[in-house]
Amino acid sequence: MTQQEIGNAIKERRKKLGVNQQTLADLASVAVNTVVAIERGEGNPQLATLLTILETLGLQIDINIKQLDYETV
Amino acid sequence: MTQQEIGNAIKERRKKLGVNQQTLADLASVAVNTVVAIERGEGNPQLATLLTILETLGLQIDINIKQLDYETV
DNA sequence: GTCATAATCTCAATATATTGCGATTTCGGT
DNA sequence: ACCGAAATCGCAATATATTGAGATTATGAC
């Protein structure tokens, strides 16, 4: 999962929950600029920042052994 | 998954692969101090740093919904 | 069209991760 | 115990994320 994909996952989840960037930023106690950068894949957030935002959105990180990409299952 | 748990996962994976911290640091092009801090859960690495180390160890990040998914979108 | 909201960008100031080097401690084998 | 390797710590220098405020752009509603 790349930084861009992580940003997309955050953006999609945020929209699914119906909150805007500013509200998410407030809830996660980070600056809206930080949220913007992460969602756009332009950011390189510190782990604590990322975890806080994910937590706010009800998301979590898992670490797994890299899997091959299966085109169709 | 907390920063500490992420650090533990990295340490376990590294030992399972039989490489020391310095070698992992070299392969991931980061300082050994950075690896040490992350493994001990004392670090707050930037996402790119974490992803590089995970990639080197054949690990990947996944983002999942924390609680029961009743949305079924 | 106007209006309001959301998203994005710029910039400077601040906070913090990262690095490099060395010193120290811990660990494992013989 | 000894010895070598690994792991950890300390500290200053550097790199980069984060913040805050405002300005700009985009979108949608009316």
Side-chain angles (χ1 to χ4, degrees):
Chain A
M1 215 169 179
T2 65
Q3 295 193 216
Q4 179 64 70
E5 290 170 334
I6 291 174
N8 290 341
I10 289 175
K11 184 166 196 170
E12 288 179 14
R13 176 66 172 173
R14 176 177 60 79
K15 294 208 164 186
K16 198 169 292 182
L17 295 178
V19 299
N20 61 30
Q21 293 174 326
Q22 184 64 62
T23 301
L24 172 58
D26 291 343
L27 291 173
S29 298
V30 299
V32 65
N33 274 357
T34 302
V35 172
V36 168
I38 293 174
E39 285 192 356
R40 292 182 59 78
E42 298 171 354
N44 183 27
Q46 297 171 194
L47 180 56
T49 301
L50 178 63
L51 290 180
T52 299
I53 292 175
L54 292 177
E55 170 83 12
T56 301
L57 292 172
L59 299 175
Q60 70 178 8
I61 273 186
D62 292 308
I63 293 184
N64 298 301
I65 297 181
K66 278 190 95 174
Q67 301 293 333
L68 297 177
D69 289 328
Y70 296 96
E71 311 263 334
T72 55
V73 176
Chain B
M1 212 167 182
T2 66
Q3 294 192 217
Q4 179 64 70
E5 290 170 334
I6 291 174
N8 289 340
I10 289 175
K11 186 167 194 169
E12 288 180 14
R13 176 67 171 173
R14 176 178 61 78
K15 294 208 163 186
K16 194 166 293 182
L17 294 179
V19 298
N20 62 29
Q21 292 174 327
Q22 184 64 62
T23 300
L24 171 58
D26 291 343
L27 291 174
S29 299
V30 299
V32 64
N33 276 357
T34 302
V35 172
V36 168
I38 294 174
E39 285 191 357
R40 293 182 58 78
E42 298 171 354
N44 183 27
Q46 296 170 193
L47 180 56
T49 301
L50 177 63
L51 290 180
T52 298
I53 292 175
L54 291 178
E55 169 83 13
T56 301
L57 292 172
L59 299 175
Q60 70 180 5
I61 274 186
D62 291 309
I63 293 184
N64 298 303
I65 297 179
K66 282 185 64 177
Q67 300 177 352
L68 205 56
D69 184 12
Y70 51 86
E71 296 176 322
T72 55
V73 175

